[in-house]
Amino acid sequence: MIELIGINKYYKNEEEHHHVLKNINLRVKRGEMIAIMGPSGSGKSTLINVLGFIDQKFEGQYLFEGESFMITNDNKLSKLRNQTVGFVFQNFSLIENNTVFENIELPLLYGGYNISKVKNKVSQMLVKVGLKEKMYKYPKQLSGGQQQRVAIARSLINNPEFIIADEPTGALDTQTSKEIMDLFVHLNQKHGVTIIIVTHDPEVVTSCHRLIKIRDGAIIDDKEL
Ligand code: ADP
């Protein structure tokens, strides 16, 4: 599905020429559940920004389904991003003044869906993540784990080709982390969702099929688990 070929990325300013991604070669197959680990500053965020069509300023080739998407137009790029990739963050990034339902429906409204279709899709998604009872609550009325479920539902509502989760359990206690990982495993195994997870947590890695280690901008290890 995804193929990165010889990706190099530099941050340049007057004094410095920082080489942050070094000859990254990476293939992701549909249905994989991959963990990415590496010390702080090793280039994980930069890599997921490339993978998630956020950053296109790099050298090398990014092929998605065999095609290159070096798009210069910002509108086209955000449309491609919205249709292709769902994001989950450590701090959930929900809109506090919107209900659970409204948070999850937002990406659909951007996509121009009609209201009745939206209601159906959001209801089905709420069942999938186990939050049907909470749809009229606000994020503050939910536990951290429940908020992360809302964020996961939002990331999936547009049927993305894959999701990127950046430290999704970083703000959660051990038991809740386990529940969130169980949800990811369920979505991966039962619904075929392709998932890329950046994590520091070895427990999270045990739920994944593959571990990629990155250090100083380079992939130093890439193995099936
Ligand atoms: P990680 O996510 O693994 O902590 P990052 O991808 O955020 O690593 O950063 C990799 C390297 O790139 C770090 O040395 C960081 O200081 C540098 N870096 C990240 N973003 C920028 C930026 N916008 N400008 C300059 N340097 C940056």
Side-chain angles (χ1 to χ4, degrees):
M1 180 164 73
I2 291 172
E3 194 170 4
L4 300 183
I5 307 162
I7 301 283
N8 283 284
K9 169 142 187 102
Y10 306 86
Y11 283 116
K12 295 171 193 166
N13 61 27
E14 295 87 52
E15 311 97 68
E16 274 190 319
H17 187 85
H18 201 155
H19 194 175
V20 287
L21 290 180
K22 296 174 184 156
N23 190 31
I24 299 285
N25 294 292
L26 177 62
R27 274 166 179 259
V28 178
K29 289 197 283 253
R30 194 172 289 280
E32 281 198 287
M33 180 150 163
I34 302 177
I36 299 178
M37 282 186 119
S40 182
S42 58
K44 303 182 296 297
S45 308
T46 309
L47 177 61
I48 58 179
N49 286 344
V50 169
L51 284 168
F53 303 106
I54 290 173
D55 181 1
Q56 290 211 304
K57 295 196 191 79
F58 53 79
E59 291 173 6
Q61 256 197 312
Y62 182 171
L63 300 182
F64 188 80
E65 301 291 11
E67 266 188 79
S68 173
F69 285 99
M70 293 308 281
I71 294 167
T72 42
N73 178 324
D74 274 355
N75 277 340
K76 265 194 187 166
L77 185 64
S78 23
K79 197 157 176 219
L80 174 71
R81 190 188 311 129
N82 286 342
Q83 289 167 350
T84 313
V85 47
F87 291 93
V88 176
F89 304 98
Q90 175 171 2
N91 62 4
F92 324 129
S93 296
L94 300 174
I95 299 173
E96 296 294 339
N97 293 328
N98 282 4
T99 63
V100 165
F101 188 96
E102 289 164 347
N103 267 283
I104 299 172
E105 76 173 343
L106 208 56
L108 291 177
L109 300 183
Y110 289 139
Y113 275 84
N114 74 46
I115 296 295
S116 63
K117 231 178 175 177
V118 166
K119 199 159 184 339
N120 254 331
K121 271 178 94 84
V122 175
S123 300
Q124 283 168 14
M125 188 54 71
L126 281 162
V127 173
K128 229 184 227 178
V129 301
L131 282 179
K132 200 159 186 343
E133 316 303 313
K134 305 286 183 194
M135 68 179 179
Y136 299 119
K137 300 275 184 210
Y138 289 86
K140 278 211 170 72
Q141 298 173 293
L142 305 179
S143 68
Q146 288 167 339
Q147 290 187 53
Q148 196 57 302
R149 283 172 190 271
V150 177
I152 292 169
R154 179 187 56 188
S155 79
L156 288 169
I157 196 71
N158 261 334
N159 274 328
E161 303 282 343
F162 64 101
I163 59 180
I164 292 177
D166 191 359
E167 294 275 3
T169 63
L172 305 174
D173 62 63
T174 313
Q175 178 55 31
T176 312
S177 296
K178 196 179 168 310
E179 287 165 18
I180 291 296
M181 287 316 297
D182 288 347
L183 175 60
F184 278 127
V185 169
H186 171 81
L187 293 167
N188 175 253
Q189 290 183 354
K190 293 283 184 299
H191 301 280
V193 181
T194 306
I195 306 176
I196 300 168
I197 304 179
V198 168
T199 187
H200 282 111
D201 183 353
E203 270 303 309
V204 166
V205 177
T206 60
S207 299
C208 298
H209 309 143
R210 180 173 161 199
L211 172 61
I212 293 169
K213 286 189 187 160
I214 171 166
R215 196 174 190 105
D216 298 329
I219 292 177
I220 54 164
D221 198 14
D222 181 351
K223 62 173 183 247
E224 302 288 327
L225 299 173

